[in-house]
Amino acid sequence: MRFPIASLLATLALTASAAQAQDKELNLYSARHYQTDEILYANFTKQTGIKINRIEADDNALFERLKNEGKNSPADVIVMVDAARIWRAEIEGFFQPVQSKILNARIPANLRGKDDGKGPEWFGFSTRARVIVYNKATVKPADVATYESLADPVNKGKVCTRSGSHPYNLSLIGSMIERDGEKATEQWAKGMVANFARPPRGGDTDQIKGVASGECGVAIANSYYYVRLLRSTKPEDIAAMKNVGFIWPNAQTSGTHFNIAGGGVAKNAPHREAAVKFLEYLASDEAQGYFAEGNNEWPAVAKVQVKNPALAGLGKFKMENVSVASIGKNQIAAQRILDRVGYK
């Protein structure tokens, strides 16, 4: 059967138009839950015309959803906020390789996934450090200068943390395993449990406020939580932060543990071109600057200037030399250690 040329051209035009319209949207699965990211998404849509459909949930919920959806998943981009989570997503096969000159040029090699010739499967877009905060009135900085020192008897009854099984802590412990071995790390974990001021609970902000109130003498927190409180205009936060000191841990030894927020293109992304554009946008000067100004994280692109006085005021620090991949693979051993020593 023959079709009139005009009808055939019209059909092709409609098909092309439908495909083009489809590429004007992006399905984002994100474990980031920061309200400040709204501006990031709005600016991307404004620049590209691509609408972002967001699914936001914690990492376990997203992993379960992706498993259940399988090959039919509508996810285009998956964003996680911890090395352990990104490693897990990679191991589960949720990403696909991406070859992008822009991403390879802007994102440092140590903040990208392994490239087997087809391109990395994930990219880090911002970094944060796991820092030590202490009560100025009750704790000497020299007694809490390293992660290891928190397990010393001098700090008995002073240490507060969130759950040891939280990915932020699993990543820290994973880096300690890589650096010091499982035996030494388990001894450290035992010392931490012996030094608890109270059972682990709450988030990082709760730990900092616990230090400020005197409930805790010392705590571990991600740097952006600390800076967020420094920038707060609430009178109670301003008063509380006057009681809190700040330390770059292990400055004279192995360096401070850092972590990343990052992501990649989903394995079965229906809008792959839009997904790559979004990742490249996250590596742009504009987006990188916003990570610093909007959520108090350091840009992954080193040349981007930080226009956040509170963040810049923390100064430079010695960063640990441990790969993101090794931190991720050690999380299973980290959890076993926590279970053995009763670090809930």
Side-chain angles (χ1 to χ4, degrees):
M1 181 182 294
R2 294 184 178 181
F3 294 94
I5 294 296
S7 177
L8 180 59
L9 290 176
T11 300
L12 291 174
L14 285 172
T15 302
S17 177
Q20 187 177 21
Q22 188 184 46
D23 285 338
K24 288 298 182 180
E25 65 178 349
L26 171 78
N27 299 319
L28 172 64
Y29 282 29
S30 177
R32 286 180 69 94
H33 51 269
Y34 315 123
Q35 290 184 345
T36 50
D37 284 355
E38 295 287 344
I39 297 176
L40 270 177
Y41 306 140
N43 287 345
F44 174 74
T45 299
K46 184 177 179 180
Q47 291 178 22
T48 64
I50 298 172
K51 176 187 175 184
I52 298 179
N53 306 312
R54 295 203 313 277
I55 297 294
E56 291 183 352
D58 64 32
D59 57 312
N60 286 326
L62 288 180
F63 287 139
E64 193 64 29
R65 183 176 184 126
L66 286 162
K67 285 181 180 178
N68 290 336
E69 290 172 345
K71 294 181 180 180
N72 296 319
S73 176
D76 292 306
V77 172
I78 303 168
V79 171
M80 297 287 169
V81 289
D82 183 88
R85 291 161 164 164
I86 293 172
W87 174 84
R88 181 180 166 193
E90 182 178 24
I91 294 302
E92 293 282 1
F94 292 150
F95 295 132
Q96 63 172 280
V98 171
Q99 290 185 327
S100 165
K101 292 181 179 179
I102 292 174
L103 291 170
N104 287 344
R106 295 183 65 80
I107 305 299
N110 68 317
L111 298 182
R112 304 195 302 257
K114 184 180 179 182
D115 186 352
D116 291 326
K118 296 181 180 179
E121 291 194 0
W122 56 264
F123 301 84
F125 294 106
S126 63
T127 65
R128 62 280 295 272
R130 202 91 179 117
V131 301
I132 291 173
V133 295
Y134 65 94
N135 186 290
K136 293 178 181 178
T138 62
V139 173
K140 297 177 181 179
D143 289 339
V144 292
T146 66
Y147 300 115
E148 291 80 3
S149 66
L150 301 187
D152 291 346
V154 70
N155 291 312
K156 189 172 182 63
K158 297 179 181 179
V159 177
C160 286
T161 79
R162 71 193 302 161
S163 168
S165 296
H166 190 278
Y168 295 163
N169 283 337
L170 283 177
S171 289
L172 170 62
I173 297 168
S175 74
M176 296 179 77
I177 291 172
E178 190 69 16
R179 189 174 65 243
D180 304 324
E182 289 189 38
K183 184 176 180 179
T185 302
E186 184 162 342
Q187 285 300 117
W188 170 83
K190 285 181 180 178
M192 286 286 285
V193 172
N195 287 350
F196 283 161
R198 54 159 171 72
R201 66 169 183 263
D204 283 8
T205 300
D206 298 307
Q207 314 314 315
I208 300 170
K209 289 185 175 181
V211 168
S213 70
E215 178 187 19
C216 321
V218 62
I220 304 172
N222 273 357
S223 51
Y224 64 92
Y225 290 103
Y226 178 80
V227 177
R228 186 182 296 168
L229 286 172
L230 281 181
R231 298 178 72 184
S232 174
T233 57
K234 296 179 180 179
E236 61 269 28
D237 291 341
I238 294 172
M241 293 308 285
K242 291 179 180 178
N243 301 328
V244 180
F246 169 90
I247 286 175
W248 291 119
N250 298 56
Q252 305 303 317
T253 55
S254 56
T256 298
H257 171 67
F258 81 100
N259 214 317
I260 64 172
V265 176
K267 185 175 183 178
N268 300 295
H271 311 110
R272 190 180 189 283
E273 184 178 342
V276 174
K277 281 183 181 179
F278 182 68
L279 296 186
E280 291 176 343
Y281 164 75
L282 293 182
S284 68
D285 283 1
E286 176 188 357
Q288 287 287 295
Y290 187 76
F291 283 123
E293 294 156 34
N295 199 49
N296 307 303
E297 300 169 89
W298 286 284
V301 180
K303 71 175 185 177
V304 174
Q305 293 186 345
V306 174
K307 298 177 182 178
N308 179 335
L311 183 61
L314 299 184
K316 296 186 180 298
F317 66 99
K318 179 181 178 181
M319 190 179 293
E320 69 177 1
N321 185 24
V322 179
S323 74
V324 170
S326 65
I327 290 172
K329 71 179 177 60
N330 286 338
Q331 67 174 316
I332 296 174
Q335 186 62 65
R336 288 173 179 163
I337 287 173
L338 294 173
D339 292 342
R340 287 197 293 267
V341 303
Y343 191 152
K344 302 297 184 181

